[in-house]
Amino acid sequence: MRRTLALAAASYGLCAGVGARAEEADSKPPIIVTATKKPGGEELERVPAAITAFDGKALAQAQYRDLQSLSYSVPGVSLDPVGTFRGVANFSMRGLGINSSIPSIDASVGTVVDGVYLAANSGLVLDGFDIASVEVLRGPQGVLFGRNTTAGAVLVNTADPSFAWEGHSRVSGEGPVDSGRGAMRGTGQLVVSGPIVADRVAIRLGAYLDSDGGWFRNLRDGSNFGKAETTVLRAGVRALITDHLTLTAKGEYLRTTGDGATTQNHGLFSRDGFDMSVDNAGFIKARSHFVTARLDWEVGPGTLTNIAGWRRYTHSTSNDIDSTPSPIFHSKTQLDQEQWSDELHWSGKLGPLDLTTGGYIFHQDVAYGEDRAFGGPPSQFGGGTQDHHVQGLFAQGDLHATPALTLTAGLRWSHEEKAAAITYVRPRPACSVVAGTCPVAGVNTSVPGEPNGIADKHSWSSLSPKLGVSYQLGAHALAYASWTRGVRSGGYNLRVTNAAAFQRIAAAQGTAAFGEERVDSYEIGLKLASGDGRASINAAAYRMDVNGVQRELNVPVLGSGLAQYIYNTGDARIHGGEIEAAFAPTAALRLTANAGYIDADYVRVFLDLNGDNVIDAADRALKLPRAPRWTFGGTVTHQLALGEARTLTSRVAYQYRSRYAYTDNNVGFNSASHMLDASVALDLGGPAIRLTLYGRNLLDQVQFGGDTQLPFGGGPFSDGNSRPFDPRPAAGTFSPVFKGRTVGIEAAMDF
C-alpha cells in the first residue's frame, strides 16, 4: 500500500508539470459516464468512485473484439473467460472473482449491457461490435446495480441510432506469425444509421461476421485448433414520441460455432508453451437472442426511466477434459437460460439534493445438463434446473451541503428466491435435464441405495447500504471517502458428482443451498485534472471485509474425473490500491500509466482447503484465487500529421500482471505475464479510410482461463504437487489456454 501511495504522490507532481506544458494544447472534452444513472450522464472526474471508461475511439485503437480485449487495461482487473466453454466470463476485480463454468453460479463482477443485467456468465465474452463505451466500475455497486456486483461492474453501452445518416465498415485479418501454429482469422462489420422520420424516428442496423481458422495446432493429428464462426445481427430504433418522451429499443441475434476448449495438460506439456494434443476436438454451438427497450420521460425536475430486457442463451458443447491424445475423460453439456427484467427509476434534482430512486424485478430459468464418458460411451448423466426470482427497491441521494461538500447516502433492499431440481451426475441410463427426462426423485437404479437427486428452494433478503462524502478541492480536484456493502447471491450447484458428500453437507446445514457472500468496502480516493483536460490522475485505496467467501473447490476424483463443491469457505480481508494517470505533453502525444496492488488473505477458514484433512493455519495462509498482487502498465500514443488531413497514429500498450493462484489449494496457478500490444494506423482523411497494422501479445506470453488438477494424464511435466496429500503419483491438468503472438491488418471506413 505504501508503494501505491508513493506512486500516487510522484504521479501528482508529474501531472502538475505536464498540465503546465499542456496549456497551449487544445482542450479535451470531459469524459461522460452513465454509472450514476443520472440523466445525460456525469463527468468522470466528478464521480466519487474508481471508474475506468473507454469510448468508441479508444476501443477502436485497441482493436476491441470482446471484453477480454480490455483484460490488461485496468489495474486490479481481469476480464478473462474461463475457457471451459467459449464465451464464459470469469471476471475478477480487486481479488474477488469466480472459477466456474457452472451456469447457476452468480458473478462477483456484474455485466450490464444497455442498462440490463445479464445473469448468466455464459456468452458474455463473445464477439461484440459498434460499442459506444465500456465503463469498468471497481468496488461493490450494490445500491444502483443490485446483487452480484460485490467486486464491481462492467457497463457496456452499444451505439444508439443517430438522427444524421452515417455508416461504418471494418474488415480485418489476423493470425499467428510463428511457424507451426494455426490459421488466419478474418472479421467484417457494417453499420448504417439515420432518420426514417425527420427529427423523430431513427434506426441503426449492423452486421458482424467472424471466421477464425484456429490459432493453435493439435499435435495429435497436425490440424488447426480453436476454429470458430460467429455471426451477430443488430437492429435499433430511437423514437422521439414527444418533446419529453423518448423510446430506444434494440435487438441482437448472435450465433457461434466452433471447436471445443483449447486445453493443455500440464502433465504432458510445459506451462510456458502453447503445445496441446487432444483426441476429441469437441464443439460448441451457441445462440443468443437479446432485446432491450428504454423509455425516458422528462418529468418535473428529473427523468423517469424504464429499462426492460429479455435474453435467451442456449449452447451445446463437447470437450476433452483429460486434455490428452487418449480417450480418458470427455464431457458434453447443454444449457438453456432465459431471463427477463424491468427497472423503473426516477433521477433528478430536488433543490440541493440529487436523487435516484426506483424498483427492480428479475426472473430467470436455467436448465443445465451434462454427460461424462470415460474411455467409452457416455455413462454418467445429470445436471439441474433452477427457477430464480429477484425483486428490489433502491434509492441514492447526493446532498450538496456546500458548493464544495457533498454527502452521499444510498440503500437497496433485495429479496431473492431460488428453486432447484438437481439430478446428480452419476452412472445412470441416458437422460437429458434440458429435455426434462432426467429423474430427480427416487433411487438411482445404477447405484444401489443412492438417490437420483434432490429438489430444494431457498430465499434470502438483504440490505445494501452506502455512505460517502466528497469534497471539491478545486475546479478540477476531488477527494472522497465511502463505505459500501454488496451481496453476492446464495444458490445451488447444478453439477453434483459426489452424491454422498453433497447429501451429507445438505443434511447438516438443513438446505442444499450455499449461503450469500457479503462484502463491506471502505475506500478513499483522489481525482486531479488540469484545467484543459490534458492531464489527469485518479488514485484510490481500499479495504474489503468479505464474510462467507463463496468458493468452488475442484477435487480430482477417480471414477468421476473431477468433483466440484461450492461452499462458503471462510472470511477474508483484502487491502489494495490503484492509480491511473494520463498526460498530454503536446497535442500529438498522449501518455497513460496505471498500477494496482492487491493483498488478499483469509481471516477465518471454515473448511479444509488444502486437502490435508485438517483445518488449521496452513489453510488460512492460502491466497485467494484470481488475486494478482501487482498489475501495472501504460500506453504511449503519438499522432503525426502528414498533410492534406492525413495522420499516422502509433500506439504501444504494455501491462504486467503478477502470478496468481487459480485453485483454492493454490496448486493450480497462472504465471506472471508481460502483455505488449502495438499498432500503427494511417488515416487518409478524405475519404475517411483508416488502415491499421497491429499486434497483440507480441511477447508471446502464455496465459490460461483455468488450471484444474486431474487424477489422470500424467507425464514428464507432472510436478508432484497436483494432490499434495494424496499418495498417488501426480497427474495432469485441464488448462484452457489463450492465444499467443498475433499480428493483423485492418481497414476501416466511415461514410
Side-chain angles (χ1 to χ4, degrees):
M1 177 66 69
R2 288 193 297 269
R3 284 189 245 181
T4 302
L5 295 178
L7 178 59
S11 297
Y12 173 63
L14 180 59
C15 180
V18 170
R21 292 194 302 272
E23 288 178 357
E24 297 180 0
D26 295 336
S27 296
K28 183 181 178 182
I31 299 173
I32 304 299
V33 295
T34 63
T36 60
K37 297 191 175 183
K38 294 181 179 180
E42 191 171 10
E43 291 185 23
L44 175 61
E45 69 175 60
R46 296 186 178 278
V47 179
I51 302 174
T52 302
F54 304 88
D55 61 14
K57 181 179 179 180
L59 296 173
Q61 288 180 339
Q63 279 71 52
Y64 178 88
R65 295 288 185 272
D66 53 41
L67 288 173
Q68 188 184 9
S69 303
L70 304 177
S71 191
Y72 292 89
S73 302
V74 185
V77 171
S78 299
L79 302 180
D80 292 335
V82 68
T84 306
F85 315 132
R86 179 172 164 80
V88 178
N90 269 197
F91 295 165
S92 174
M93 292 186 189
R94 293 183 171 180
L96 286 179
I98 65 172
N99 291 343
S100 185
S101 60
I102 302 173
S104 57
I105 308 306
D106 293 292
S108 297
V109 177
T111 302
V112 180
V113 178
D114 290 330
V116 176
Y117 168 71
L118 301 185
N121 290 318
S122 299
L124 295 188
V125 198
L126 293 173
D127 301 50
F129 76 109
D130 198 28
I131 307 298
S133 67
V134 176
E135 301 169 27
V136 181
L137 287 55
R138 302 187 292 282
Q141 306 295 323
V143 175
L144 293 181
F145 293 97
R147 289 169 171 259
N148 307 318
T149 58
T150 49
V154 179
L155 312 185
V156 180
N157 300 303
T158 63
D160 288 336
S162 58
F163 285 95
W165 281 105
E166 63 179 72
H168 312 278
S169 64
R170 181 176 298 170
V171 294
S172 66
E174 65 181 42
V177 295
D178 302 76
S179 61
R181 294 183 181 170
M184 295 292 293
R185 175 187 184 185
T187 64
Q189 56 182 278
L190 176 66
V191 176
V192 294
S193 183
I196 57 175
V197 177
D199 299 325
R200 283 298 174 184
V201 181
I203 61 170
R204 195 175 191 94
L205 303 174
Y208 173 93
L209 300 174
D210 177 281
S211 179
D212 192 339
W215 188 93
F216 297 86
R217 184 66 57 85
N218 186 356
L219 297 182
R220 183 177 185 273
D221 57 13
S223 62
N224 297 332
F225 201 91
K227 297 182 290 296
E229 302 281 340
T230 301
T231 301
V232 185
L233 303 175
R234 187 181 299 150
V237 60
R238 185 174 179 87
L240 305 183
I241 300 173
T242 71
D243 291 342
H244 301 284
L245 183 63
T246 303
L247 171 67
T248 305
K250 300 175 183 178
E252 179 184 281
Y253 167 79
L254 180 147
R255 178 179 181 271
T256 187
T257 61
D259 290 338
T262 304
T263 179
Q264 283 186 323
N265 185 308
H266 290 153
L268 296 180
F269 300 106
S270 169
R271 290 175 174 271
D272 59 3
F274 296 93
D275 289 343
M276 51 136 345
S277 180
V278 296
D279 65 296
N280 174 31
F283 62 81
I284 182 170
K285 301 176 182 177
R287 282 185 172 84
S288 172
H289 300 79
F290 183 38
V291 177
T292 64
R294 178 185 181 113
L295 196 64
D296 293 296
W297 183 21
E298 296 177 14
V299 180
T303 300
L304 184 67
T305 299
N306 191 85
I307 304 174
W310 171 83
R311 182 190 189 228
R312 185 179 183 188
Y313 177 83
T314 61
H315 81 211
S316 60
T317 74
S318 172
N319 281 325
D320 192 324
I321 305 299
D322 61 87
S323 312
T324 75
S326 301
I328 301 175
F329 177 15
H330 297 168
S331 174
K332 292 183 178 180
T333 69
Q334 308 83 41
L335 171 65
D336 190 341
Q337 184 261 353
E338 184 175 13
Q339 68 168 76
W340 61 263
S341 63
D342 192 83
E343 176 177 301
L344 178 66
H345 71 260
W346 182 87
S347 184
K349 291 182 176 293
L350 299 174
L353 178 67
D354 293 344
L355 178 65
T356 299
T357 183
Y360 177 76
I361 56 174
F362 166 89
H363 182 84
Q364 75 162 332
D365 294 298
V366 177
Y368 172 76
E370 182 172 336
D371 54 82
R372 299 186 171 193
F374 298 93
S379 60
Q380 298 189 7
F381 299 85
T385 62
Q386 180 175 272
D387 182 83
H388 181 193
H389 184 74
V390 179
Q391 52 195 6
L393 299 171
F394 63 92
Q396 179 168 305
D398 296 325
L399 178 63
H400 302 289
T402 71
L405 178 65
T406 300
L407 306 176
T408 298
L411 182 66
R412 188 183 192 104
W413 168 83
S414 288
H415 180 74
E416 181 172 41
E417 300 173 354
K418 290 184 177 180
I422 301 170
T423 299
Y424 304 142
V425 183
R426 297 286 288 152
R428 68 178 68 254
C431 65
S432 168
V433 170
V434 174
T437 59
C438 282
V440 176
V443 177
N444 186 350
T445 58
S446 299
V447 185
E450 181 179 280
N452 279 312
I454 190 171
D456 192 45
K457 60 181 179 180
H458 203 81
S459 63
W460 300 266
S461 293
S462 64
L463 293 174
S464 296
K466 177 177 182 176
L467 294 174
V469 57
S470 61
Y471 191 82
Q472 201 74 40
L473 300 171
H476 302 282
L478 177 72
Y480 69 90
S482 66
W483 163 67
T484 310
R485 174 172 293 172
V487 177
R488 183 178 169 200
S489 298
Y492 295 92
N493 178 9
L494 299 186
R495 187 188 292 163
V496 176
T497 58
N498 189 329
F502 181 81
Q503 293 273 149
R504 184 171 60 253
I505 295 294
Q509 62 186 17
T511 177
F514 50 86
E516 295 176 310
E517 176 183 279
R518 191 185 73 198
V519 177
D520 286 281
S521 177
Y522 308 87
E523 180 173 330
I524 58 173
L526 179 67
K527 295 189 173 187
L528 304 170
S530 61
D532 56 12
R534 306 291 298 193
S536 65
I537 181 170
N538 298 332
Y542 60 86
R543 165 182 155 175
M544 295 194 295
D545 294 326
V546 189
N547 293 283
V549 175
Q550 242 178 64
R551 297 303 313 162
E552 177 186 314
L553 306 182
N554 295 286
V555 180
V557 178
L558 289 172
S560 63
L562 180 68
Q564 292 157 293
Y565 308 96
I566 304 172
Y567 302 121
N568 299 91
T569 60
D571 297 334
R573 181 166 295 154
I574 304 174
H575 298 86
E578 301 148 352
I579 185 169
E580 295 179 289
F583 318 105
T586 69
L589 179 64
R590 178 175 172 80
L591 311 173
T592 71
N594 70 77
Y597 172 78
I598 301 172
D599 183 13
D601 297 292
Y602 286 102
V603 177
R604 292 193 302 160
V605 174
F606 309 145
L607 294 172
D608 173 29
L609 298 179
N610 63 7
D612 64 354
N613 299 316
V614 179
I615 303 174
D616 57 14
D619 295 293
R620 291 191 297 274
L622 295 169
K623 293 298 183 181
L624 269 68
R626 293 195 180 272
R629 184 172 290 267
W630 285 103
T631 55
F632 58 80
T635 64
V636 178
T637 305
H638 181 263
Q639 191 173 75
L640 176 65
L642 300 179
E644 298 182 0
R646 297 175 182 173
T647 58
L648 186 70
T649 303
S650 304
R651 178 180 182 270
V652 177
Y654 167 80
Q655 193 78 8
Y656 170 80
R657 184 166 70 188
S658 60
R659 168 175 160 150
Y660 63 88
Y662 174 76
T663 56
D664 290 82
N665 62 10
N666 289 186
V667 173
F669 65 91
N670 218 330
S671 301
S673 62
H674 301 264
M675 288 292 172
L676 179 66
D677 298 342
S679 65
V680 178
L682 175 62
D683 193 326
L684 300 181
I689 296 176
R690 295 176 304 282
L691 303 175
T692 305
L693 176 67
Y694 61 88
R696 296 196 192 95
N697 192 3
L698 291 174
L699 300 180
D700 215 24
Q701 300 284 280
V702 184
Q703 288 288 282
F704 308 97
D707 191 46
T708 302
Q709 283 66 56
L710 299 172
F712 34 63
F717 293 94
S718 294
D719 57 14
N721 292 319
S722 59
R723 293 178 304 280
F725 301 100
D726 192 320
R728 293 173 296 182
T733 68
F734 173 77
S735 301
V737 61
F738 302 145
K739 293 180 179 180
R741 183 184 295 114
T742 302
V743 173
I745 187 168
E746 177 182 270
M749 181 172 68
D750 299 330
F751 54 91

